[in-house]
Amino acid sequence: MKQSPQLQAAQARMAPGALTMDGFLGTDPRDLAEILEDDEGAVRRLGLAHEALAADLHRLTERAIGGFGAPVAEGPFELCACEAMGVLPCPFGEPGLHPKAVIEARRTDTGERLSWTALQVHLIRAHGFYEGRGSPFRLEPPVLARFLGLHPPPQ
Ligand SMILES: [Zn+2]
């Protein structure tokens, strides 16, 4: 996939200090088009779609935010919405603002932990974007799928 001017502009908004202090790309040397293409392949190899990952993440995010900073239980998950203050725009540049919440989650059955931001639910659903490698909130699709307990539909 060739990087379009729109993706080039989005990539600039993902730099550290543009929209967020840490930015969205970490230490990833790939351009945005390549990151999107690689993760698209990774999700397809899992037999999943971005929407399926985003739907579960959205449900857990809403539950966590409903706890107003106190831990909440949801199935095998213990969730907490921290730093839930303010809003920020999507780096892909369309209008609208997203709540600036960090969700901390732990599976009580495996002890595994994962953190994500409320904006990432939108980034995955609308853009198939999981952040760059080395970014503090990068979600590796196979790690996320395992954490959520998502398995591909039977063939
Ligand atoms: Zn967006």
Side-chain angles (χ1 to χ4, degrees):
M1 194 198 302
K2 197 177 170 297
Q3 179 112 324
S4 66
Q6 287 80 3
L7 286 184
Q8 194 58 44
Q11 186 165 340
R13 285 187 289 265
M14 290 174 181
L19 290 180
T20 65
M21 198 175 72
D22 293 322
F24 297 85
L25 296 168
T27 53
D28 208 317
R30 298 170 298 169
D31 69 19
L32 183 53
E34 209 177 331
I35 294 171
L36 293 172
E37 196 171 50
D38 288 352
D39 283 339
E40 174 74 39
V43 170
R44 209 178 308 124
R45 281 193 298 278
L46 290 166
L48 293 169
H50 301 308
E51 178 55 40
L53 292 160
D56 270 30
L57 214 49
H58 175 71
R59 184 174 55 81
L60 296 179
T61 300
E62 294 289 295
R63 278 287 290 152
I65 289 174
F68 299 104
V72 293
E74 170 77 15
F77 301 99
E78 190 177 86
L79 307 159
C80 188
C82 315
E83 302 166 43
M85 271 175 66
V87 290
L88 79 169
C90 172
F92 284 86
E94 76 277 6
L97 293 168
H98 302 270
K100 211 176 168 178
V102 176
I103 313 303
E104 286 175 7
R106 188 174 76 89
R107 284 194 69 113
T108 51
D109 51 354
T110 62
E112 204 178 353
R113 291 173 185 275
L114 204 66
S115 305
W116 63 87
T117 68
L119 177 61
Q120 281 182 293
V121 178
H122 164 79
L123 290 174
I124 292 171
R125 174 183 287 151
H127 308 287
F129 180 57
Y130 296 77
E131 306 210 0
R133 290 181 191 140
S135 169
F137 290 105
R138 160 81 183 161
L139 292 169
E140 287 294 341
V143 173
L144 178 60
R146 187 185 65 220
F147 186 80
L148 293 172
L150 284 174
H151 301 286
Q155 299 295 314

